[in-house]
Amino acid sequence: MKAFYLFDFDGTLVDSMPTFVSVMLRILDENSIPYQQDIIKIITPLGLNGTAEYYINDMGLDMSKEQLMNIMKEYMLDAYFHKIPAKANVDSVLRALKAQGASLNVLTASPHITLDACLKRLGLWELFDNIWSCDDFNTTKADPQIYKMAAAKMQTTVENILFLDDNLNADMTAKSAGMQVCGVYDKSSDAYIDQIKAAADYYIYDFGELLSI
């Protein structure tokens, strides 16, 4: 039976969470907006669009959505275009899975402007059958329906897909939608390892472990 994989991007395929975290907290700090300790866990599945709405509607940031998203993208572009590396063993494992005939796909909160450029620079772009931003579905990874829509586009069912993400909320939502879930270690989610393990079917600390699942 053909294997279907659906990968998160930030913190799963690439080591970008330090950039994401620094940019999102920088914006709050620059605008003197106080935030709770788990702010990164909350906003990571939302993408730039959802985070902008959360900052404005829930945190009281006095700025238009368009203006805020432009600032986010400006702060992040250089790192994604030139600096952010793939995580350890990602390249070799993806190529091994591809050689086995697996369908490899990406679903991320990141916009295509950073996502596409980064994957192409790292030589990973051509390995994937589909590369989706949440923007393509007009919703976020906090919505169970996005996983069902992705499965339909992959021409399979949610039960046949292994979803991989370093974020607790995304893992829990994908699981609730019916997908098999593999938590992925990232330093940014250190505090949630036990919760991710409890929510997921599998958990890997290194991408190389994926070949044993």
mmCIF file of all heavy atoms in Angstrom, residues 1-5 93-105 127 129 211:
data_model
loop_
_atom_site.group_PDB
_atom_site.id
_atom_site.type_symbol
_atom_site.label_atom_id
_atom_site.label_comp_id
_atom_site.label_asym_id
_atom_site.label_seq_id
_atom_site.Cartn_x
_atom_site.Cartn_y
_atom_site.Cartn_z
ATOM 1 N N MET A 1 0.844 -1.204 0.000
ATOM 2 C CA MET A 1 0.000 0.000 0.000
ATOM 3 C C MET A 1 0.876 1.250 0.000
ATOM 4 O O MET A 1 1.869 1.329 0.725
ATOM 5 C CB MET A 1 -0.895 0.008 1.243
ATOM 6 C CG MET A 1 -1.890 1.151 1.277
ATOM 7 S SD MET A 1 -3.001 1.003 2.708
ATOM 8 C CE MET A 1 -4.004 2.444 2.469
ATOM 9 N N LYS A 2 0.531 2.229 -0.815
ATOM 10 C CA LYS A 2 1.313 3.450 -0.918
ATOM 11 C C LYS A 2 1.288 4.219 0.398
ATOM 12 O O LYS A 2 0.247 4.349 1.045
ATOM 13 C CB LYS A 2 0.758 4.327 -2.044
ATOM 14 C CG LYS A 2 1.606 5.552 -2.341
ATOM 15 C CD LYS A 2 1.101 6.273 -3.573
ATOM 16 C CE LYS A 2 2.013 7.424 -3.941
ATOM 17 N NZ LYS A 2 1.593 8.092 -5.194
ATOM 18 N N ALA A 3 2.458 4.723 0.794
ATOM 19 C CA ALA A 3 2.562 5.497 2.032
ATOM 20 C C ALA A 3 2.379 6.984 1.719
ATOM 21 O O ALA A 3 2.946 7.498 0.749
ATOM 22 C CB ALA A 3 3.913 5.261 2.685
ATOM 23 N N PHE A 4 1.579 7.657 2.537
ATOM 24 C CA PHE A 4 1.334 9.089 2.375
ATOM 25 C C PHE A 4 1.859 9.832 3.605
ATOM 26 O O PHE A 4 1.522 9.481 4.737
ATOM 27 C CB PHE A 4 -0.166 9.366 2.225
ATOM 28 C CG PHE A 4 -0.765 8.846 0.954
ATOM 29 C CD1 PHE A 4 -1.280 7.553 0.890
ATOM 30 C CD2 PHE A 4 -0.829 9.648 -0.176
ATOM 31 C CE1 PHE A 4 -1.838 7.067 -0.275
ATOM 32 C CE2 PHE A 4 -1.400 9.171 -1.349
ATOM 33 C CZ PHE A 4 -1.902 7.875 -1.404
ATOM 34 N N TYR A 5 2.664 10.851 3.357
ATOM 35 C CA TYR A 5 3.217 11.670 4.438
ATOM 36 C C TYR A 5 2.803 13.122 4.230
ATOM 37 O O TYR A 5 2.815 13.630 3.103
ATOM 38 C CB TYR A 5 4.746 11.592 4.455
ATOM 39 C CG TYR A 5 5.296 10.233 4.809
ATOM 40 C CD1 TYR A 5 5.455 9.251 3.825
ATOM 41 C CD2 TYR A 5 5.668 9.931 6.118
ATOM 42 C CE1 TYR A 5 5.971 8.002 4.137
ATOM 43 C CE2 TYR A 5 6.190 8.681 6.434
ATOM 44 C CZ TYR A 5 6.334 7.727 5.445
ATOM 45 O OH TYR A 5 6.847 6.489 5.766
ATOM 46 N N VAL A 93 16.500 11.342 4.428
ATOM 47 C CA VAL A 93 15.296 10.569 4.749
ATOM 48 C C VAL A 93 14.201 10.815 3.717
ATOM 49 O O VAL A 93 13.539 9.869 3.264
ATOM 50 C CB VAL A 93 14.798 10.894 6.168
ATOM 51 C CG1 VAL A 93 13.411 10.298 6.412
ATOM 52 C CG2 VAL A 93 15.784 10.371 7.202
ATOM 53 N N LEU A 94 13.997 12.058 3.329
ATOM 54 C CA LEU A 94 12.989 12.343 2.306
ATOM 55 C C LEU A 94 13.318 11.631 0.993
ATOM 56 O O LEU A 94 12.437 11.079 0.337
ATOM 57 C CB LEU A 94 12.886 13.851 2.066
ATOM 58 C CG LEU A 94 12.274 14.684 3.191
ATOM 59 C CD1 LEU A 94 12.289 16.159 2.814
ATOM 60 C CD2 LEU A 94 10.860 14.238 3.516
ATOM 61 N N ARG A 95 14.586 11.623 0.636
ATOM 62 C CA ARG A 95 14.984 10.953 -0.609
ATOM 63 C C ARG A 95 14.796 9.444 -0.502
ATOM 64 O O ARG A 95 14.396 8.787 -1.485
ATOM 65 C CB ARG A 95 16.431 11.314 -0.959
ATOM 66 C CG ARG A 95 16.584 12.773 -1.341
ATOM 67 C CD ARG A 95 17.973 13.171 -1.766
ATOM 68 N NE ARG A 95 18.037 14.622 -1.939
ATOM 69 C CZ ARG A 95 17.602 15.277 -3.013
ATOM 70 N NH1 ARG A 95 17.074 14.591 -4.025
ATOM 71 N NH2 ARG A 95 17.678 16.593 -3.080
ATOM 72 N N ALA A 96 15.045 8.887 0.672
ATOM 73 C CA ALA A 96 14.834 7.448 0.868
ATOM 74 C C ALA A 96 13.356 7.096 0.771
ATOM 75 O O ALA A 96 12.984 6.095 0.133
ATOM 76 C CB ALA A 96 15.388 7.027 2.224
ATOM 77 N N LEU A 97 12.500 7.921 1.380
ATOM 78 C CA LEU A 97 11.058 7.678 1.313
ATOM 79 C C LEU A 97 10.551 7.813 -0.119
ATOM 80 O O LEU A 97 9.718 7.024 -0.577
ATOM 81 C CB LEU A 97 10.313 8.647 2.235
ATOM 82 C CG LEU A 97 10.538 8.460 3.740
ATOM 83 C CD1 LEU A 97 9.887 9.599 4.507
ATOM 84 C CD2 LEU A 97 9.991 7.116 4.213
ATOM 85 N N LYS A 98 11.056 8.822 -0.814
ATOM 86 C CA LYS A 98 10.656 9.034 -2.209
ATOM 87 C C LYS A 98 11.052 7.837 -3.054
ATOM 88 O O LYS A 98 10.280 7.377 -3.917
ATOM 89 C CB LYS A 98 11.319 10.305 -2.741
ATOM 90 C CG LYS A 98 10.807 10.766 -4.105
ATOM 91 C CD LYS A 98 9.415 11.355 -3.978
ATOM 92 C CE LYS A 98 8.960 11.981 -5.286
ATOM 93 N NZ LYS A 98 7.591 12.530 -5.187
ATOM 94 N N ALA A 99 12.245 7.304 -2.817
ATOM 95 C CA ALA A 99 12.720 6.147 -3.573
ATOM 96 C C ALA A 99 11.867 4.909 -3.312
ATOM 97 O O ALA A 99 11.775 4.019 -4.166
ATOM 98 C CB ALA A 99 14.178 5.860 -3.217
ATOM 99 N N GLN A 100 11.231 4.865 -2.150
ATOM 100 C CA GLN A 100 10.348 3.751 -1.812
ATOM 101 C C GLN A 100 8.952 3.913 -2.424
ATOM 102 O O GLN A 100 8.100 3.042 -2.276
ATOM 103 C CB GLN A 100 10.225 3.640 -0.289
ATOM 104 C CG GLN A 100 11.512 3.235 0.414
ATOM 105 C CD GLN A 100 11.418 3.348 1.928
ATOM 106 O OE1 GLN A 100 10.320 3.562 2.480
ATOM 107 N NE2 GLN A 100 12.536 3.208 2.614
ATOM 108 N N GLY A 101 8.707 5.048 -3.082
ATOM 109 C CA GLY A 101 7.419 5.289 -3.724
ATOM 110 C C GLY A 101 6.407 6.026 -2.879
ATOM 111 O O GLY A 101 5.231 6.098 -3.239
ATOM 112 N N ALA A 102 6.860 6.590 -1.761
ATOM 113 C CA ALA A 102 5.948 7.317 -0.878
ATOM 114 C C ALA A 102 5.519 8.645 -1.501
ATOM 115 O O ALA A 102 6.243 9.245 -2.295
ATOM 116 C CB ALA A 102 6.609 7.572 0.469
ATOM 117 N N SER A 103 4.325 9.100 -1.122
ATOM 118 C CA SER A 103 3.837 10.420 -1.515
ATOM 119 C C SER A 103 4.205 11.398 -0.405
ATOM 120 O O SER A 103 3.757 11.262 0.732
ATOM 121 C CB SER A 103 2.321 10.402 -1.712
ATOM 122 O OG SER A 103 1.825 11.710 -1.930
ATOM 123 N N LEU A 104 5.034 12.385 -0.729
ATOM 124 C CA LEU A 104 5.502 13.361 0.244
ATOM 125 C C LEU A 104 4.809 14.699 -0.015
ATOM 126 O O LEU A 104 4.765 15.183 -1.147
ATOM 127 C CB LEU A 104 7.020 13.538 0.138
ATOM 128 C CG LEU A 104 7.864 12.252 0.174
ATOM 129 C CD1 LEU A 104 9.339 12.598 0.079
ATOM 130 C CD2 LEU A 104 7.569 11.448 1.431
ATOM 131 N N ASN A 105 4.289 15.294 1.040
ATOM 132 C CA ASN A 105 3.500 16.522 0.917
ATOM 133 C C ASN A 105 3.800 17.447 2.090
ATOM 134 O O ASN A 105 4.184 16.987 3.171
ATOM 135 C CB ASN A 105 2.008 16.186 0.905
ATOM 136 C CG ASN A 105 1.664 15.153 -0.155
ATOM 137 O OD1 ASN A 105 1.380 15.486 -1.290
ATOM 138 N ND2 ASN A 105 1.716 13.861 0.220
ATOM 139 N N LEU A 127 11.030 17.094 -4.321
ATOM 140 C CA LEU A 127 10.709 15.818 -3.669
ATOM 141 C C LEU A 127 9.224 15.694 -3.313
ATOM 142 O O LEU A 127 8.748 14.592 -3.045
ATOM 143 C CB LEU A 127 11.549 15.653 -2.395
ATOM 144 C CG LEU A 127 13.068 15.618 -2.591
ATOM 145 C CD1 LEU A 127 13.764 15.506 -1.239
ATOM 146 C CD2 LEU A 127 13.474 14.461 -3.491
ATOM 147 N N ASP A 129 5.035 16.012 -3.709
ATOM 148 C CA ASP A 129 3.912 15.989 -4.646
ATOM 149 C C ASP A 129 3.062 17.246 -4.523
ATOM 150 O O ASP A 129 2.519 17.745 -5.517
ATOM 151 C CB ASP A 129 3.031 14.761 -4.380
ATOM 152 C CG ASP A 129 3.757 13.458 -4.655
ATOM 153 O OD1 ASP A 129 4.697 13.454 -5.481
ATOM 154 O OD2 ASP A 129 3.402 12.432 -4.040
ATOM 155 N N LEU A 211 12.405 6.469 9.391
ATOM 156 C CA LEU A 211 12.514 5.280 8.541
ATOM 157 C C LEU A 211 12.215 4.002 9.285
ATOM 158 O O LEU A 211 11.993 2.940 8.670
ATOM 159 C CB LEU A 211 13.915 5.200 7.927
ATOM 160 C CG LEU A 211 14.281 6.335 6.954
ATOM 161 C CD1 LEU A 211 15.710 6.183 6.475
ATOM 162 C CD2 LEU A 211 13.319 6.369 5.769
#
